[in-house]
Amino acid sequence: MMCLGIPVKVVEISGNSAIGEIGGVKRKIDISFVDVKVGDYVILHAGFAIQKLDEEEAEETLKLLREMSDGLY
Amino acid sequence: MDYINPFRDSEMCSALSKEIKKFGREVRFMEVCGTHTMAIHRYGLKSLLPENIRLLSGPGCPVCVTSSMDIDRMIACTHAGIVATFGDMLRVPGTFSSLEKEKAKGADVRVVYSPMDAVEIARKTAKNVIFLGVGFETTAPSVAQAIKSSPENFMVYPMHKLVPPALKKLLEGKNRIDGFLLPGHVCTVTGTKGYEFLKGKIPCVVSGFEPADILASILMLVKQIEEGKADIEIEYGRSVKREGNQKAMETMYEVYEPSGALWRGLGYIESSGLSIRKEFGSKDASALIKEEFESEEREGCRCGEVLQGLVEPVDCPLFSRVCTPLEPIGPCMVSSEGTCAAYYKYGGYA
């Protein structure tokens, strides 16, 4: 679990604390290290959001992966 | 957006696998991070790679690289108050005992998910609460934040380690490594600047943790080799920025400073650990442990070599015979990120 991080959706924010949801399970998360708003996704590690996930970059990676797997890379 | 399932697409994985199989050279890539090791075994990714591409597990399991001396001292923390720890540490055998055995004898050892849960425990008691600060740069900022926002009776036994100095040491060693899959969540925090020294020396790709991420990263390493490059590329761009997470890094260095550390397998490495700064000296639980220990590695255990990718778990005479997840001899069999645990769980032994 030490370097395990999972994508979690931020559903509520109160100061440095937020509620994150994954697969219907909700958990308190500390958001001291990130600037997020409700609806953003973060990587959750040991109770802390360590980064806001970048949707554009995720789409870009998927595009690249599709290209690579088509042999066009 | 769905950040998981598109990166698990089986058709994409088999197409990536086909592309990788076009590469004919014998190469050895090291997945530095234990969470990558687990993912590789969980998704059976080795079966999607050709025989000429070998994956070696690296030192990226914080529990596994903790020295016997630190484990013995950490177990001694149970004499100084309530010990709060990540679950991975509970069954790690020291020279004389384990936290689990001490707990069975009556020590107050509590498993927490977050260092903030340990701070909560401290707020509700007058006793000292000692959190075992294990983990790489992914975890150290969170523990630093806990230290900053904790009551007086909360302390940390610091055993954090930094990844880049270990990679430097590995490259100086006798093992041939042709490329690194760099740890995605460590780099999420640190960025890639600390890895610049690898540029021009060895191809590196910072990888995500889903199966398509890992296969794509392997393909990117292969392409670098074909093109004669040795760059630091980022596959896991949705989480990793070149500059990392500045706020997390600032918090980490506000509370901690680099110091020498002893690694299982790799030995002592300059500036590869984190000590608590003088300003936060009252939070340093290592000052409470006055006992001296004659710490020893368990006889026959080859964790130290497994951590350097020098041998595979199956090369260890203890693996699966006397060393199992239920009766672990070495830490690599205990941790959920340990190489031996991954081989055991997904290799048909369990």
Side-chain angles (χ1 to χ4, degrees), chain B residues 221-233:
Chain B
L221 284 177
V222 160
K223 298 277 176 195
Q224 282 200 39
I225 290 178
E226 279 178 342
E227 289 162 19
K229 289 181 181 162
D231 285 338
I232 299 161
E233 292 184 288

Side-chain angles (χ1 to χ4, degrees), chain B residues 305-325:
Chain B
E305 291 158 280
V306 170
L307 289 165
Q308 299 172 76
L310 289 169
V311 300
E312 291 193 44
V314 287
D315 300 323
C316 175
L318 306 183
F319 178 76
S320 85
R321 296 180 185 91
V322 276
C323 181
T324 66

Side-chain angles (χ1 to χ4, degrees), chain B residues 287-307:
Chain B
L288 299 177
I289 311 302
K290 310 283 184 212
E291 296 147 271
E292 297 276 333
F293 296 97
E294 303 240 342
S295 301
E296 283 173 9
E297 307 296 332
R298 301 284 287 267
E299 206 181 320
C301 172
R302 300 188 76 181
C303 272
E305 291 158 280
V306 170
L307 289 165

Side-chain angles (χ1 to χ4, degrees), chain B residues 212-226:
Chain B
D213 285 317
I214 296 172
L215 291 170
S217 300
I218 291 169
L219 185 54
M220 287 163 82
L221 284 177
V222 160
K223 298 277 176 195
Q224 282 200 39
I225 290 178
E226 279 178 342

Side-chain angles (χ1 to χ4, degrees), chain B residues 72-315:
Chain B
D72 290 336
R73 286 174 59 83
M74 180 189 84
I75 292 168
C77 288
T78 54
H79 305 152
I82 299 170
V83 167
T85 176
F86 292 130
D88 269 23
M89 216 65 199
L90 209 58
R91 291 174 44 239
V92 176
T95 314
F96 316 100
S97 185
S98 70
L99 287 171
E100 189 180 47
K101 284 180 186 157
E102 293 306 303
K103 189 176 163 75
K105 284 192 258 173
D108 195 344
V109 180
R110 305 193 195 177
V111 171
V112 292
Y113 164 70
S114 166
M116 294 310 278
D117 297 341
V119 171
E120 280 306 311
I121 294 171
R123 288 207 176 104
K124 291 176 188 152
T125 178
K127 292 182 188 166
N128 282 339
V129 174
I130 300 160
F131 179 74
L132 304 177
V134 179
F136 296 117
E137 296 94 325
T138 327
T139 318
S142 307
V143 180
Q145 182 66 24
I147 285 177
K148 281 174 67 182
S149 46
S150 63
E152 264 178 37
N153 59 333
F154 176 86
M155 289 184 226
V156 167
Y157 187 91
M159 285 175 285
H160 296 297
K161 293 192 171 53
L162 306 171
V163 174
L167 299 190
K168 192 160 185 262
K169 180 103 187 224
L170 269 177
L171 281 187
E172 289 163 3
K174 54 186 169 183
N175 203 358
R176 194 192 109 201
I177 305 166
D178 301 306
F180 279 128
L181 284 180
L182 293 181
H185 289 139
V186 168
C187 292
T188 292
V189 170
T190 64
T192 54
K193 213 175 138 200
Y195 295 85
E196 290 288 317
F197 72 94
L198 295 169
K199 220 173 166 175
K201 286 196 186 125
I202 181 167
C204 295
V205 176
V206 185
S207 177
F209 295 89
E210 300 301 339
D213 285 317
I214 296 172
L215 291 170
S217 300
I218 291 169
L219 185 54
M220 287 163 82
L221 284 177
V222 160
K223 298 277 176 195
Q224 282 200 39
I225 290 178
E226 279 178 342
E227 289 162 19
K229 289 181 181 162
D231 285 338
I232 299 161
E233 292 184 288
I234 299 173
E235 183 279 334
Y236 194 31
R238 59 191 186 277
S239 182
V240 177
K241 308 290 159 204
R242 293 259 169 212
E243 69 280 8
N245 183 329
Q246 295 288 337
K247 274 191 192 173
M249 288 292 275
E250 277 164 22
T251 303
M252 179 171 100
Y253 283 119
E254 183 188 344
V255 174
Y256 293 111
E257 59 189 348
S259 62
L262 190 59
W263 296 58
R264 185 183 298 266
L266 293 171
Y268 180 82
I269 309 175
E270 231 24 273
S271 301
S272 68
L274 291 171
S275 299
I276 295 176
R277 286 185 190 276
K278 258 194 283 171
E279 300 90 295
F280 294 92
S282 64
K283 296 292 183 186
D284 191 350
S286 60
L288 299 177
I289 311 302
K290 310 283 184 212
E291 296 147 271
E292 297 276 333
F293 296 97
E294 303 240 342
S295 301
E296 283 173 9
E297 307 296 332
R298 301 284 287 267
E299 206 181 320
C301 172
R302 300 188 76 181
C303 272
E305 291 158 280
V306 170
L307 289 165
Q308 299 172 76
L310 289 169
V311 300
E312 291 193 44
V314 287
D315 300 323

Side-chain angles (χ1 to χ4, degrees), chain A:
Chain A
M1 68 167 283
M2 218 69 74
C3 274
L4 193 63
I6 45 169
V8 169
K9 187 178 181 179
V10 175
V11 293
E12 257 179 72
I13 294 177
S14 164
N16 279 338
S17 184
I19 301 291
E21 187 187 314
I22 181 160
V25 179
K26 289 185 178 176
R27 213 212 115 89
K28 194 175 145 190
I29 53 180
D30 190 301
I31 52 168
S32 305
F33 301 143
V34 290
D35 294 315
V36 285
K37 56 184 191 311
V38 169
D40 285 340
Y41 280 79
V42 295
I43 290 287
L44 173 66
H45 166 77
F48 281 76
I50 57 168
Q51 190 59 278
K52 183 171 107 173
L53 282 165
D54 186 330
E55 192 169 341
E56 248 173 65
E57 281 286 344
E59 294 289 3
E60 191 60 33
T61 304
L62 281 174
K63 203 176 128 207
L64 190 71
L65 258 62
R66 284 187 200 110
E67 281 174 16
M68 282 201 282
S69 52
D70 283 335
L72 300 171
Y73 180 63

Side-chain angles (χ1 to χ4, degrees), chain B residues 327-349:
Chain B
E327 292 282 339
I329 305 287
C332 299
M333 185 58 94
V334 186
S335 172
S336 58
E337 293 171 329
T339 306
C340 299
Y343 272 71
Y344 192 91
K345 192 169 177 192
Y346 299 109
Y349 298 96

